[in-house]
Amino acid sequence: MAQGSLPLLPSRNRRRLDALWLERLRADGWRDYLAEPSAPPAAFLRAIQEFNEGKFWHCHETLEGLWRPTPYPLRLFYQGVIKMAVGFHHLGQRNRHGAASLLEGAIAALAPFLREFMGVSTESLAQEAEAWLARLSRPGEPDWEELDRLPRPEIALPGE
């Protein structure tokens, strides 16, 4: 698959390279650069289970081990799920800014992979992140007790 002049792995300034890859994928789509994996790796399935159990930090740790060695553009998909998990971790810590920042990052990283990728409804994840961002962006201090009572999103396991 053609990847143009962009490196497949970051060496320096990863954030800049992430932005360049996201720009490229928004313009061209991921199919020009990546074959969708036929089956998700076991670590990814474990991370989804951790996410669904509300173990957002564990999900992040599991996915980070998978994300680090993964080349672009697939690493952006993993990064989107990682940011979603850490956003909900920050939400549980009542860190409004951290949660909002990471949920925004999750939406951006998952955007090239919408509607579905690797058996995950990326569209549903992005919609959940947007709904939580709307709750967090209301004027004034969030009603943390109300937010704590709301169910967190779940990621359907591939094949469910």
Side-chain angles (χ1 to χ4, degrees), residues 121-132:
S121 173
T122 50
E123 184 172 39
S124 292
L125 276 181
Q127 289 171 347
E128 285 283 355
E130 289 168 358
W132 280 93

Side-chain angles (χ1 to χ4, degrees), residues 46 51 61 63 69-70 75 81 86 88 101 103 117 126 140 151 155:
R46 185 171 58 253
F51 186 98
E61 291 292 313
L63 277 177
T70 300
R75 71 182 286 117
V81 180
V86 178
F88 280 98
S101 174
L103 292 175
F117 186 78
I155 301 171

Side-chain angles (χ1 to χ4, degrees), residues 24-155:
R24 171 86 49 92
L25 295 175
R26 274 193 295 273
D28 301 339
W30 61 266
R31 287 176 179 82
D32 288 345
Y33 305 96
L34 175 68
E36 185 171 2
S38 58
F44 183 69
L45 296 176
R46 185 171 58 253
I48 290 173
Q49 183 177 5
E50 291 166 341
F51 186 98
N52 291 345
E53 291 171 355
K55 298 176 182 175
F56 300 116
W57 190 255
H58 289 73
C59 173
H60 154 267
E61 291 292 313
T62 300
L63 277 177
E64 197 167 75
L66 188 58
W67 165 78
R68 284 186 188 276
T70 300
Y72 289 100
L74 181 56
R75 71 182 286 117
L76 292 170
F77 170 72
Y78 291 143
Q79 187 179 52
V81 180
I82 289 169
K83 287 183 176 195
M84 187 82 162
V86 178
F88 280 98
H89 172 76
H90 281 297
L91 194 67
Q93 301 297 309
R94 297 183 172 186
N95 177 350
R96 180 186 200 169
H97 176 74
S101 174
L102 283 154
L103 292 175
E104 287 170 355
I107 292 167
L110 292 172
F113 302 96
L114 293 180
R115 299 182 66 82
E116 183 178 299
F117 186 78
M118 214 183 319
V120 170
S121 173
T122 50
E123 184 172 39
S124 292
L125 276 181
Q127 289 171 347
E128 285 283 355
E130 289 168 358
W132 280 93
L133 279 171
R135 292 177 184 113
L136 291 171
S137 65
R138 293 178 186 149
E141 184 66 21
D143 181 343
W144 290 111
E145 290 180 14
E146 175 190 344
L147 293 177
D148 288 344
R149 286 191 297 272
L150 295 173
R152 301 308 190 249
E154 290 191 2
I155 301 171

